[in-house]
Amino acid sequence: MRQNSFLGLSPAGFHRIAYTEWGDPAASRAIVCCHGLTRNGRDFDALAGELSKQARVICPDIVGRGRSDWLRDPLHYGYPQYCADMSALIARLDVTELDWVGTSMGGLIGMTLAAQAGTPIRRLVVNDVGPFVPKAALLRIADYVGLDNRFSSLTAVQTHLKKVLAPFGPLTEAQWQHIVAYGHRRREDGTFGLAYDPAIAVNVRMAVQDWDLWALWDRIALPALVLRGADSDLLLPATAEEMTRRGPRAELVTWPGMGHAPALMAQDQIDVVKEWLTAN
C-alpha cells in the first residue's frame, strides 16, 4: 500500500487529490475504486487488498474528503469537477484502460466517464446507484451531510457513524473501527469532526429533485455490474431491473439485510466483485 497525490484544478485554483495505491505498479490491469458522498478511499481497503493480488488498485479521496484538499469555493463541488479530477488521475496513472468500481457518488462518476466517447473504462461496477435517483433519498442525505458535527471522543464519532451508516449492513466491530479511524478528523480545539468538508452539501441541497440520467446510462457500451442493497431507498428495485435491460444491460446482484449502500467489506461481497472483474 502506497500513499500518493496529484494536483487537480478548479476555477479557484489548484487542489491536492490524495489516493491510496495497492499492488504492483507495473501490473497489466488497473482498477479504480471510488467512494460515496461523505466517505473516502480507505473504505476499500479490504476490497483493494484482495483485488491487488492480480491488479494495480487505486482508491482516490475525492476533493473535499479524506486526505484531499477542501475547495476554496464550495460551489465547485460537483460532478464536473469530480470527473475532471478523475480524468487527471487516469492521466497520472499512464494506463490505456482500467476497470471502475464506484459506490453511490463514485458510481455516478464512473457512469459519466464510461458514457464518454473514447472512454478508457473497460468494465464498470456500480454500487447502489443508478440513472434515476429519487428526491426522497436526496432529502434524507441532505438532512445530515452538511452538518459540521463536533464530537468529544472517537467513541462518540463511532456512535454517530453507526447510526448514519447503518444501511451499510452488518459490520464487525473491527470494520466499524476502520470506518471511524479514517472517517474522522481532529480539530484545532481538540474535538473531532468527520473527514469531509461540510460545504460539499451546498450543491446537494440545490439539486434536491428527482435525477433522471437515463440518457447517460443508455450511452454506456461496456460490461457493467450493478450491486444493490435490498432495502436501498436510492437505487429503487424498478430502476435496478431497468438497468439490466437498457444501455450496457448490466448484470444485477442484490444483497438482503442492507440499504444504501453495501459496504463491500464482507468477503461474500468482495468475492462477487473480484470474480466479475476477473471473468475476462
Side-chain angles (χ1 to χ4, degrees), residues 16 28 71 205 253:
R16 188 179 65 90
S28 60
L71 289 177
R205 289 170 176 164
V253 175

Side-chain angles (χ1 to χ4, degrees), residues 34-108:
C34 192
H35 60 81
L37 182 66
T38 64
R39 302 301 306 149
N40 60 78
R42 298 305 298 270
D43 281 0
F44 294 108
D45 277 11
L47 177 63
E50 191 68 28
L51 294 177
S52 67
K53 296 175 183 178
Q54 298 175 315
R56 178 186 182 190
V57 185
I58 303 93
C59 305
D61 293 345
I62 297 298
V63 66
R65 288 85 167 171
R67 296 185 302 111
S68 292
D69 287 346
W70 293 6
L71 289 177
R72 295 174 180 85
D73 184 346
L75 290 177
H76 297 147
Y77 284 123
Y79 288 94
Q81 183 64 60
Y82 305 154
C83 289
D85 286 344
M86 291 302 96
S87 179
L89 171 63
I90 293 170
R92 172 68 178 271
L93 298 176
D94 192 24
V95 295
T96 57
E97 65 177 17
L98 70 152
D99 297 335
W100 189 280
V101 179
T103 293
S104 193
M105 178 187 72
L108 291 176

Side-chain angles (χ1 to χ4, degrees), residues 257-274:
M258 61 197 72
H260 181 74
L264 305 186
M265 291 181 174
Q267 191 60 48
D268 62 331
Q269 297 172 25
I270 291 172
D271 289 344
V272 165
V273 175
K274 180 180 179 180

Side-chain angles (χ1 to χ4, degrees), residues 124 140 185 215 230:
L124 173 67
R140 175 182 60 79
R185 56 188 167 90

Side-chain angles (χ1 to χ4, degrees), residues 230-260:
D231 301 324
S232 176
D233 65 343
L234 194 137
L235 179 56
L236 302 178
T239 304
E241 290 295 337
E242 188 70 5
M243 293 170 77
T244 69
R245 296 188 289 268
R246 292 177 60 172
R249 298 184 179 182
E251 297 179 44
L252 172 62
V253 175
T254 299
W255 286 300
M258 61 197 72
H260 181 74

Side-chain angles (χ1 to χ4, degrees), residues 9 36 111 150:
L9 179 63
M111 284 167 50
R150 291 177 181 269

